[in-house]
Amino acid sequence: MAAPETSTAAVPTLYTNNTLRNAFGGVLSFFILLLIGVLAFSIRLFSVIKYESVIHEFDPYFNYRVTQFLTKKGIYEFWNWFDDRTWYPLGRVIGGTVYPGLTLTAGTIWWLLNSLNIPLSVETVCVFTAPIFSAFASWATYLLTKEVKGAGAGLTAAVLLAMVPSYISRSVAGSYDNEAVAIFALIFTFYLYLKTLNTGSLFYATLNSLAYFYMVCSWGGYTFIINLIPMHVLLCIVTGRYSSRLYIAYAPLVVLGTLLAALVPVVGFNAVMTSEHFASFLVFIIIHVVAFVYHIKGILSPKMFKVAVTLVVTVGLAVCCAVIAVLIALVASSPTKGWSGRSLSLLDPTYASKYIPIIASVSEHQPPTWPSYFMDINVLAFLVPAGIIACFLPLSDASSFIVLYIATSVYFSGVMVRLMLVLAPAACITSGIALSEAFDVLTGSIKFQLPGVTSNAEVDAGETSSDTSEAQTDEVKAEKPDDTSKNRPSKKSKKKERELAENPPAKATAKAKAKAEKKRLLALPLEASVISLLLLVVLGAFYVVHSVWAAAEAYSAPSIVLTTRSRDGLHVFDDFREAYAWLSHNTDVNDKVASWWDYGYQTTAMANRTVIVDNNTWNNTHIATVGTAMSSPERAAWEIFHSLDVKYVLVVFGGLIGYPSDDINKFLWMVRIGGGVFPHIKEPDYLRDGQYRIDSQATPTMLNCLMYKLSYYRFVETDGKAYDRVRRTEIGKKYFKLTHFEEVFTTHHWMVRIYKLKPLKNRIRGKAKKSKSKTSSTSSSKRSGTKKKNPWL
Amino acid sequence: MEAPIRAREALGFILFSLLFSICRSSSLNHLLISNAERRIDLSSHIVKVYLTLKVENAGSTPTSEVFLSFPPTQVDHLATVEALVTKGKRKKTTLVRLDVKPTELPDAPNDAKYFAIYLENPLKSGESTTLEVLYLLTHSQEPFPAEIAQSESQLVYYRDSALILSPYHIKQQTTFIKTPSTKVESFTRVEPSNRAGTEIKYGPYEDHPPYSFSPILIHFENNSPFAVVEELVREVEISHWGNLQVTEQYTLVHAGARHKGVFSRVDFQSRPTLNGASSLRYLLARLPPRVHSVYYRDEIGNISSSHLRTDSRKSELEIEPRYPLFGGWKATFVIGYGLPLQDFLFETSDDRRYLNFTFGCPLLETVVDKLTIKVVLPEGSKDPSAVVPFPVEQHLETKYSYLDVVGRTVVVMEKKNLVPTHNSHFQVYYTFKPIFMLAEPLMLASAFFLFFVACVAYLHIDLSIRK
């Protein structure tokens, strides 16, 4: 990071004073960046210090398991990995359905460390991958913002990003998820795009497509890049900012990027076949047309050009119609009908809750509330508008990109809480720009009005140091359009060019004088600037305090181990791991465990048992089957589970200690998802007057369903009243027996209860046939009206 | 129940005594045991047998070896045999430990196995001496019924002989068996035998020829948890920077009667004495004093239920497995701790160093089926040799740890069937030059130096093709 800094510092300018200043500034910003990296890393270690070095939540466990597999079996086995321990009996092709970026990154780090004989476990590497990459992300933010508004704004933005709560929530130590590396990849790709746009260098364009490739490897959110960049290109073209630099920034990215993206198994032909990518191809065509027009314009006389235009417009219209027709045909015929469910819910926020309960059931797919904006980006929300204004003064290619980025990400974050994460870097960059510009103006006017600084020379020196850089950029910008035909100048020669640009001192000083005049007019009163400076510092301090609080309190809990503070100190609820450890040591290795899909990843990773459904919700029918079983009465549920070869059923129950996100609270989703596929499960059957309740007012269907029974089995014996601390009520049906299930394990605080399916009862010889036909007939007659399409019965 | 057992035992007894009297070894004739007392302690799952033998030399030649014999079924479960001799007279008696080694005798009847006790001074003709023998048996209590439900208590069988199996003629002998509780379902009667409280007394029996055997079977309640560590790997890593890091990996199993059917948490919590009486709730590990940075975890993370109590003489770590262990349930976990090096590493006069550390398992009242101790010596140490007070299998390995180049020598020692009495000290001797301690810091320093030099060089070289 420091290399470009120090290199500019090493430029011998005519003013030795400035050289020193630049050198000092370079070293200073290097150390500031280093500290920012340390800050970004260490603010995310609260979870390790307060809890332990452990993988968090749900998805990270899957990533951890995949990484373990990768480190144990190697890369080729990994690509071919068919996992038979999940989605039983279907299995899942992990190698082809997983974004491998995170896994490969952590695997590479582990391999590197181990080849240096540093024996860190895979778990440790996984836990600390996210904090390391957030340090990288803040450095990338520095680079990106520096491309837009210079080093000062870059440093401010980097500091802000290092501790933005939204990003912390996804990248605390242990939160080993795709987003952790993807945000870095996102920012870095944008940086390289802007770098290419500013320099017109093919080298950066190639790097850009590689960064894009890394992003595609890491996260499904790469579609954001491949839509945002074309949008920006289109914007540039429409506003008449087309240049060959834009062409170099865009065309290689589309060609190389799409080819590289198609290499990732999970994307494959989707890179050319789904409509998420069509925008980029369309813009690709447009930019070529525009480039062609510019070229023609260059070689033809104006008169001939007019003729050509009319010719092209007529032909072009026809071609366009044809292309659009083809596109529409392609969209209609593409395998996912163009848009995947998640992407559709981005465009139409109500889409998911209307049609896909499984997407709507995930809390992070819900639209955010206003408090969550304040929680996640805090004061940045107020600074963003100022930053956008600063981007318009003056509007460059790079700053227009930032404006576009923030505008789109605000929209997307409004659709889905999860995408707040994409907004966070944009908010940091714009706020960084805003803060740095504000500081610039305020300190400038203070400096201008301070009585001590009367000697004009010093003011001049101070002004020129910043102004020459501005002049420099102006100069470079002015040069650029005619510079683009040339190859990219080497580093050294560029330095010389800059020197040359500064060399005519008369020009520089004249310009500086003019600037100083301008400054004099723009200067604010001293008191006002001091006060607003103080206010800005207070605002920043508030942000820091909030971020540290968020990192320490709100986002550091690993969610597999819970703690509460009571009078007699800290109390730890480690029930999940207790249950998983029990499963892994005391059941047969090939037993199948059924639970709601939330716990699928954890069960496979921690207990190493085969699960029916897991958090990769790729098969709605399968999840609906489990949902149906959970919402059915005992006998029917037993039959469904038995047909799935399930031996143990795991339910999460929070009623004893008041853990709110338990299965009873998720139960309506099971009913909805189950009912979506098997119509005999009807949501109104479980609701009394539209209300979900489990007390004595609950419906009989509710009180007889498997989930209720497994959750509350013998619950009344704990306190005699069966008071549920989550629902704050006594349960409806207290005394009941289980006929087809038996309790085999309940954890210390009853948070996880594991039941075993009882084997089939022996039948009395001779009567077997008769009774069998009888029971089957009765069962079918009982449910004849409702039993329709359930293949498991 | 008792009657058929007794008939069968009696038949066995007759057979055995016939067999043994025919083929008794003539070479052992000259010793006889004038009085033998045996106390069998069955209160935990490790069977402790204290044997007091008054040995008399009735032959003409002095002898220095006394043989103990064990039936082959017991030998497999025999963890340790120790022998002491009382010295001095009356009040000024001192106990002296004697060498005990397994031996073979040429004409052992029915595959009986022998241990030889080597006396300090040969026993002259006509003299007598008193030997105190202690031997421990593991896996010798068989749960019956083999599967119990949560609320049932654990009943076990213990099989032995009412008469002491000995290659010598025993003039008088008595056996006391102590059971953990007064609840004894049945025991084989070999008259005179009687039971009072927690004690069953067999004998006194007079004048039994060598290899007399009279099988007995005791069926009693034993609710002590059968904590068995199936495999324990202890890794002791020596760092000459002042730390001794110990990592112990346990595979723990409850080897009592298997748990059957339902585990109900509500019963377990509300009536802990009735429900899951034999379950294993916690374990106590006795660690050396001045222990620091103790951790207790398993493959999925830290286990929060542990307490450490330290004082100047010892440290006690009370650990709870993640879940109570019922019969047949397993758990794996890791305990790790650091110790100050100066307490365990010493220098010999010939400039060698040696580590003095305890061998066995720090958990109290547990049996270890297989123990592997790995002593990781610092990189660059040479000529390792281990001195262990009992026979173990040994070999060397190489391990690569932080920034190692040539690897560290690891002395690996393996032993099967250990009991807490094996917690004696062993020594590993090696030579080590202190200069090797600086190898890694120097390596790091030079790597960083080279990196900075490379950076400086890069910044000063113009790599561009076109000027």
Side-chain angles (χ1 to χ4, degrees):
Chain A
M1 304 292 116
E5 279 304 298
T6 42
S7 71
T8 48
V11 177
T13 51
L14 285 182
Y15 308 104
T16 42
N17 194 10
N18 274 357
T19 322
L20 259 180
R21 227 171 221 282
N22 282 344
F24 184 65
V27 172
L28 195 66
S29 52
F30 172 73
F31 277 106
I32 290 173
L33 278 178
L34 207 65
L35 285 179
I36 288 171
V38 171
L39 170 73
F41 182 80
S42 52
I43 201 172
R44 286 164 171 84
L45 298 187
F46 275 110
S47 59
V48 171
I49 293 159
K50 286 183 71 179
Y51 295 88
E52 55 179 290
S53 167
V54 73
I55 309 279
H56 288 199
E57 295 192 324
F58 305 105
D59 287 21
Y61 268 98
F62 170 73
N63 297 326
Y64 170 49
R65 181 161 163 258
V66 176
T67 316
Q68 273 182 320
F69 185 89
L70 173 72
T71 51
K72 227 177 275 168
K73 299 274 177 73
I75 180 84
Y76 292 107
E77 289 274 315
F78 166 70
W79 290 123
N80 295 327
W81 185 18
F82 177 80
D83 186 10
D84 59 348
R85 302 196 75 78
T86 179
W87 290 96
Y88 183 84
L90 307 171
R92 179 184 168 194
V93 188
I94 300 270
T97 58
V98 78
Y99 285 101
L102 176 75
T103 320
L104 292 179
T105 308
T108 313
I109 295 175
W110 180 84
W111 175 82
L112 208 67
L113 287 174
N114 272 268
S115 54
L116 285 175
N117 280 333
I118 299 175
L120 290 182
S121 67
V122 179
E123 193 191 0
T124 316
V125 173
C126 291
V127 165
F128 292 102
T129 299
I132 290 171
F133 269 80
S134 21
F136 291 168
S138 52
W139 291 334
T141 310
Y142 164 75
L143 292 173
L144 172 56
T145 321
K146 196 175 156 230
E147 283 305 309
V148 182
K149 280 281 165 180
L155 287 174
T156 325
V159 174
L160 293 176
L161 187 102
M163 49 187 177
V164 64
S166 167
Y167 186 28
I168 286 178
S169 74
R170 288 318 192 93
S171 63
V172 292
S175 173
Y176 177 57
D177 212 345
N178 290 336
E179 288 92 332
V181 299
I183 291 302
F184 158 71
L186 181 87
I187 300 171
F188 197 62
T189 312
F190 286 157
Y191 156 66
L192 285 170
Y193 170 67
L194 289 187
K195 185 82 187 172
T196 325
L197 199 56
N198 281 347
T199 58
S201 136
L202 208 51
F203 170 69
Y204 283 112
T206 319
L207 278 190
N208 189 18
S209 21
L210 286 178
Y212 173 67
F213 174 56
Y214 184 64
M215 178 70 194
V216 177
C217 282
S218 311
W219 196 30
Y222 74 91
T223 47
F224 182 65
I225 295 184
I226 206 62
N227 283 306
L228 184 66
I229 291 181
M231 273 165 82
H232 179 244
V233 170
L234 207 59
L235 186 79
C236 285
I237 291 171
V238 168
T239 53
R241 286 174 163 272
Y242 172 79
S243 64
S244 47
R245 285 173 289 118
L246 187 69
Y247 183 83
I248 288 171
Y250 186 65
L253 173 68
V254 171
V255 177
L256 276 180
T258 307
L259 281 177
L260 288 171
L263 292 181
V264 182
V266 63
V267 178
F269 279 106
N270 284 352
V272 286
M273 284 175 78
T274 54
S275 23
E276 279 106 331
H277 304 81
F278 282 168
S280 64
F281 300 135
L282 200 65
V283 174
F284 187 66
I285 296 167
I286 291 172
I287 200 171
H288 275 94
V289 170
V290 171
F292 184 68
V293 169
Y294 270 80
H295 183 67
I296 296 289
K297 207 176 176 181
I299 54 171
L300 287 184
S301 61
K303 208 176 173 188
M304 284 292 284
F305 180 67
K306 250 178 197 166
V307 176
V309 164
T310 43
L311 193 79
V312 165
V313 162
T314 42
V315 176
L317 271 178
V319 171
C320 270
C321 288
V323 165
I324 287 166
V326 167
L327 274 181
I328 289 169
L330 270 178
V331 169
S333 66
S334 69
T336 52
K337 282 281 169 214
W339 296 79
S340 60
R342 268 182 200 149
S343 309
L344 268 179
S345 70
L346 280 180
L347 294 183
D348 173 14
T350 53
Y351 174 83
S353 50
K354 264 191 248 160
Y355 303 111
I356 316 171
I358 201 148
I359 289 183
S361 76
V362 181
S363 61
E364 61 185 25
H365 292 163
Q366 305 285 348
T369 51
W370 284 114
S372 70
Y373 273 101
F374 186 73
M375 176 72 202
D376 275 358
I377 57 174
N378 201 249
V379 302
L380 303 188
F382 310 121
L383 289 171
V384 163
I388 294 175
I389 292 169
C391 281
F392 278 101
L393 312 165
L395 189 71
S396 63
D397 289 350
S399 64
S400 69
F401 178 77
I402 294 300
V403 172
L404 195 67
Y405 177 22
I406 186 92
T408 45
S409 60
V410 163
Y411 170 73
F412 286 131
S413 71
V415 175
M416 227 188 238
V417 178
R418 199 153 101 121
L419 293 177
M420 194 79 95
L421 200 57
V422 178
L423 169 68
C428 287
I429 291 163
T430 42
S431 318
I433 291 170
L435 271 183
S436 134
E437 294 284 306
F439 273 115
D440 223 25
V441 169
L442 295 174
T443 49
S445 45
I446 289 174
K447 207 191 274 173
F448 184 74
Q449 285 173 346
L450 271 187
V453 203
T454 41
S455 65
N456 220 20
E458 250 180 81
V459 176
D460 262 353
E463 294 302 307
T464 42
S465 74
S466 63
D467 285 338
T468 40
S469 68
E470 260 174 61
Q472 216 173 284
T473 47
D474 285 359
E475 209 67 25
V476 171
K477 239 172 238 165
E479 264 172 46
K480 244 157 212 169
D482 37 27
D483 189 49
T484 38
S485 55
K486 284 190 270 172
N487 279 347
R488 183 190 164 260
S490 77
K491 204 166 71 184
K492 280 286 155 80
S493 59
K494 199 181 164 194
K495 276 179 208 162
K496 272 173 202 156
E497 252 169 57
R498 280 194 190 180
E499 260 173 66
L500 276 176
E502 285 166 29
N503 255 344
K507 200 178 166 189
T509 42
K511 206 160 188 175
K513 284 243 168 81
K515 284 257 167 165
E517 276 306 309
K518 229 168 107 193
K519 271 271 155 72
R520 201 175 308 241
L521 293 173
L522 284 175
L524 293 166
L526 183 65
E527 296 79 17
S529 43
V530 169
I531 288 169
S532 36
L533 206 59
L534 280 178
L535 284 177
L536 278 184
V537 170
V538 168
L539 198 69
F542 182 67
Y543 175 71
V544 171
V545 168
H546 174 81
S547 300
V548 172
W549 172 82
E553 302 292 330
Y555 293 135
S556 64
S559 95
I560 51 159
V561 40
L562 310 165
T563 53
T564 53
R565 280 181 197 287
S566 61
R567 277 160 315 203
D568 37 89
L570 196 72
H571 200 85
V572 182
F573 300 98
D574 203 359
D575 286 36
F576 286 110
R577 287 191 293 188
E578 181 182 346
Y580 293 134
W582 184 84
L583 272 178
S584 87
H585 292 303
N586 300 308
T587 56
D588 186 78
V589 86
N590 289 319
D591 284 345
K592 280 89 193 165
V593 181
S595 66
W596 189 233
W597 59 264
D598 294 24
Y599 313 104
Y601 278 165
Q602 291 184 348
T603 312
T604 43
M606 283 198 263
N608 189 24
R609 290 294 170 271
T610 308
V611 295
I612 306 299
V613 290
D614 69 21
N615 310 41
N616 175 268
T617 50
W618 66 275
N619 189 327
N620 190 36
T621 315
H622 220 47
I623 292 179
T625 309
V626 174
T628 306
M630 292 294 189
S631 9
S632 303
E634 223 188 315
R635 169 77 192 173
W638 184 89
E639 275 168 11
I640 295 175
F641 282 140
H642 190 69
S643 69
L644 283 170
D645 214 3
V646 167
K647 201 145 179 211
Y648 296 95
V649 181
L650 179 151
V651 294
V652 172
F653 171 64
L656 186 74
I657 53 150
Y659 170 65
S661 49
D662 65 349
D663 277 349
I664 290 284
N665 273 3
K666 289 174 187 164
F667 180 62
L668 271 193
W669 288 113
M670 302 183 204
V671 174
R672 272 176 212 155
I673 293 168
V677 178
F678 304 108
H680 69 273
I681 302 290
K682 294 190 196 68
E683 193 179 333
D685 291 349
Y686 298 86
L687 302 174
R688 172 77 69 196
D689 305 328
Q691 269 197 315
Y692 177 59
R693 52 203 309 171
I694 44 100
D695 55 7
S696 49
Q697 295 294 306
T699 59
T701 324
M702 178 69 215
L703 295 182
N704 281 317
C705 74
L706 185 73
M707 180 52 72
Y708 179 89
K709 284 194 164 177
L710 296 192
S711 290
Y712 293 114
Y713 178 61
R714 297 188 74 183
F715 180 54
V716 67
E717 291 172 50
T718 51
D719 59 353
K721 284 190 307 198
Y723 181 77
D724 185 322
R725 283 184 180 74
V726 176
R727 266 65 59 177
R728 298 179 185 285
T729 174
E730 279 183 34
I731 61 171
K733 195 166 150 190
K734 296 175 183 175
Y735 301 94
F736 55 87
K737 279 195 174 137
L738 293 174
T739 43
H740 301 289
F741 294 85
E742 64 179 7
E743 183 187 12
V744 285
F745 190 73
T746 298
T747 56
H748 191 248
H749 303 99
W750 289 55
M751 273 167 64
V752 184
R753 311 194 71 182
I754 301 170
Y755 292 84
K756 193 176 179 180
L757 268 74
K758 278 190 187 164
L760 279 170
K761 282 221 173 71
N762 286 331
R763 295 180 205 282
I764 305 153
R765 187 176 294 174
K767 276 191 175 178
K769 244 184 184 172
K770 216 174 157 187
S771 65
K772 195 183 174 185
S773 62
K774 214 176 175 182
T775 48
S776 65
S777 70
T778 50
S779 72
S780 64
S781 68
K782 251 187 228 162
R783 0 186 50 253
S784 59
T786 52
K787 185 182 163 190
K788 242 176 127 182
K789 271 190 200 151
N790 194 337
W792 307 103
L793 290 178
Chain B
M1 185 72 194
E2 262 181 53
I5 290 178
R6 222 186 304 163
R8 213 169 60 212
E9 312 291 83
L11 191 71
F13 165 59
I14 293 163
L15 272 175
F16 267 102
S17 40
L18 273 175
L19 201 72
F20 290 149
S21 55
I22 290 164
C23 54
R24 67 177 170 217
S25 112
S26 55
S27 65
L28 303 165
N29 261 346
H30 52 275
L31 281 183
L32 65 84
I33 295 171
S34 54
N35 193 4
E37 189 190 277
R38 185 168 59 153
R39 292 182 177 275
I40 302 174
D41 184 2
L42 298 177
S43 53
S44 81
H45 67 293
I46 302 169
V47 178
K48 300 184 189 76
V49 183
Y50 302 93
L51 203 60
T52 311
L53 302 173
K54 198 169 181 206
V55 185
E56 208 175 298
N57 192 348
S60 51
T61 49
T63 178
S64 61
E65 288 178 348
V66 179
F67 293 97
L68 298 172
S69 61
F70 295 94
T73 47
Q74 259 185 8
V75 166
D76 295 340
H77 299 141
L78 196 64
T80 174
V81 183
E82 285 170 23
L84 301 168
V85 69
T86 42
K87 258 194 171 176
K89 279 181 183 158
R90 297 284 142 82
K91 281 174 188 169
K92 279 193 267 178
T93 52
T94 50
L95 290 170
V96 179
R97 183 180 287 264
L98 298 175
D99 271 353
V100 183
K101 276 185 188 133
T103 46
E104 297 276 323
L105 284 186
D107 46 356
N110 270 17
D111 296 329
K113 296 282 188 293
Y114 296 89
F115 281 80
I117 303 173
Y118 298 95
L119 299 175
E120 278 194 314
N121 310 310
L123 200 62
K124 288 186 193 112
S125 172
E127 276 185 351
S128 70
T129 182
T130 308
L131 297 175
E132 300 279 350
V133 180
L134 165 70
Y135 61 89
L136 302 181
L137 298 168
T138 59
H139 298 289
S140 300
Q141 297 182 28
E142 181 203 339
F144 188 86
E147 286 194 341
I148 55 169
Q150 189 184 352
S151 56
E152 288 168 344
S153 65
Q154 180 171 269
L155 299 172
V156 293
Y157 277 146
Y158 175 69
R159 294 165 214 275
D160 206 332
S161 159
L163 302 169
I164 297 166
L165 187 72
S166 168
Y168 309 114
H169 185 91
I170 303 179
K171 276 186 176 165
Q172 194 188 32
Q173 58 177 313
T174 326
T175 296
F176 299 94
I177 297 175
K178 191 173 166 262
T179 55
S181 69
T182 52
K183 210 177 155 199
V184 177
E185 296 282 305
S186 68
F187 65 98
T188 316
R189 286 185 184 278
V190 182
E191 294 306 332
S193 60
N194 68 326
R195 182 182 146 224
T198 61
E199 198 170 75
I200 303 168
K201 185 181 175 192
Y202 285 95
Y205 304 112
E206 308 276 341
D207 277 328
H208 276 280
Y211 300 113
S212 300
F213 196 82
S214 160
I216 53 169
L217 181 70
I218 304 165
H219 192 202
F220 59 99
E221 182 194 60
N222 188 351
N223 272 331
S224 73
F226 283 28
V228 174
V229 179
E230 283 188 334
E231 191 171 1
L232 169 60
V233 181
R234 299 183 84 196
E235 195 177 273
V236 183
E237 193 166 336
I238 302 169
S239 160
H240 277 266
W241 295 98
N243 191 37
L244 194 71
Q245 183 64 38
V246 186
T247 315
E248 296 168 350
Q249 293 175 9
Y250 292 86
T251 311
L252 185 73
V253 66
H254 186 301
R258 293 187 66 81
H259 178 73
K260 172 178 76 177
V262 177
F263 165 69
S264 166
R265 179 67 73 167
V266 66
D267 288 338
F268 184 72
Q269 277 170 339
S270 55
R271 292 175 288 273
T273 45
L274 287 174
N275 279 283
S278 63
S279 70
L280 181 62
R281 285 156 214 255
Y282 65 91
L283 294 156
L284 204 63
R286 189 155 291 161
L287 305 179
R290 303 219 283 154
V291 64
H292 64 87
S293 33
V294 182
Y295 63 85
Y296 167 49
R297 54 171 293 148
D298 63 4
E299 59 264 41
I300 54 173
N302 178 47
I303 307 173
S304 48
S305 44
S306 61
H307 303 282
L308 180 70
R309 288 183 291 269
T310 48
D311 59 37
S312 59
R313 290 175 50 234
K314 63 176 191 300
S315 310
E316 273 187 340
L317 178 69
E318 189 186 303
I319 54 176
E320 259 179 68
R322 285 196 187 273
Y323 41 86
L325 288 181
F326 282 82
W329 288 12
K330 278 186 185 177
T332 57
F333 55 88
V334 179
I335 298 175
Y337 46 91
L339 294 165
L341 190 68
Q342 66 266 29
D343 294 6
F344 300 94
L345 194 75
F346 307 95
E347 265 185 68
T348 58
S349 50
D350 58 337
D351 223 30
R352 296 179 59 154
R353 288 151 206 268
Y354 70 95
L355 172 85
N356 189 31
F357 204 68
T358 49
F359 191 85
C361 159
L363 296 180
L364 302 183
E365 285 295 311
T366 46
V367 173
V368 181
D369 285 351
K370 188 183 173 209
L371 172 75
T372 311
I373 290 196
K374 296 180 175 177
V375 179
V376 184
L377 302 176
E379 197 180 21
S381 46
K382 290 196 178 73
D383 318 322
S385 65
V387 178
V388 191
F390 28 78
V392 290
E393 280 179 38
Q394 280 187 31
H395 63 272
L396 293 179
E397 277 177 7
T398 310
K399 184 195 169 186
Y400 292 91
S401 185
Y402 291 94
L403 296 173
D404 285 351
V405 180
V406 293
R408 304 176 183 205
T409 314
V410 184
V411 182
V412 185
M413 288 165 277
E414 282 174 18
K415 181 160 170 60
K416 289 191 170 133
N417 202 10
L418 276 91
V419 285
T421 47
H422 283 111
N423 286 6
S424 50
H425 285 85
F426 71 96
Q427 291 80 34
V428 175
Y429 291 86
Y430 63 96
T431 53
F432 179 74
K433 291 203 180 70
I435 192 74
F436 281 108
M437 282 165 72
L438 293 176
E440 276 159 18
L442 284 178
M443 207 167 75
L444 272 183
S446 47
F448 272 99
F449 179 72
L450 285 178
F451 173 72
F452 287 129
V453 166
C455 281
V456 168
Y458 174 73
L459 288 177
H460 283 83
I461 295 170
D462 188 357
L463 290 172
S464 60
I465 299 166
R466 209 186 61 171
K467 295 283 168 186

